[in-house]
Amino acid sequence: MSDLIFVMIVGAAAFAWWSAARAAAERAESIGREACRLAGVQWLDQTVHASGLRLRRRDDGRLGFERSFRFEYSEDGVERSVGRLVLRGDELVAFVGPVGGEQVVQALR
């Protein structure tokens, strides 16, 4: 019986981890897409790519995950540029991307 409980706890933790990672990726995708739209550039590949994960203290002092993402955009349809954003929980804490996309960052902070 205790083995079953252990397996259920591990399964629940794995699902919670996956769900939080998916939610962060969806939020990063939304931010990247909106930043590119406001900057008038083409958002390439229609996705973001996870590029880092760190444990960081949140503003309330508790430990949480800080996830980094990258995305690609093009100003002229030929050259690819890389944008980066960092989420701590669902809060945007850093953004590097297309000029004009900073408006989105200010609106989402």
Side-chain angles (χ1 to χ4, degrees):
M1 185 68 156
S2 65
D3 289 341
L4 179 60
I5 292 173
F6 178 74
V7 169
M8 290 175 62
I9 290 171
V10 169
F15 178 76
W17 172 272
W18 175 82
S19 181
R22 189 68 235 143
E26 288 174 4
R27 173 108 164 104
E29 188 174 304
S30 173
I31 292 168
R33 181 184 307 115
E34 187 64 14
C36 289
R37 186 188 68 76
L38 286 176
V41 299
Q42 183 181 8
W43 186 46
L44 301 175
D45 304 330
Q46 307 301 308
T47 191
V48 295
H49 305 280
S51 60
L53 177 69
R54 300 189 316 180
L55 266 177
R56 301 289 279 194
R57 293 233 178 252
R58 298 187 307 200
D59 291 338
D60 62 3
R62 295 174 50 197
L63 282 177
F65 288 109
E66 182 178 273
R67 291 178 166 89
S68 302
F69 297 90
R70 69 175 184 81
F71 61 95
E72 294 185 353
Y73 63 95
S74 177
E75 295 177 359
D76 58 7
V78 177
E79 298 292 322
R80 293 175 88 93
S81 300
V82 176
R84 291 183 173 77
L85 58 98
V86 178
L87 296 175
R88 192 172 299 142
D90 66 344
E91 179 188 358
L92 179 65
V93 294
F95 178 85
V96 175
V99 175
E102 291 84 13
Q103 298 167 351
V104 128
V105 173
Q106 295 304 321
L108 293 172
R109 283 194 179 189

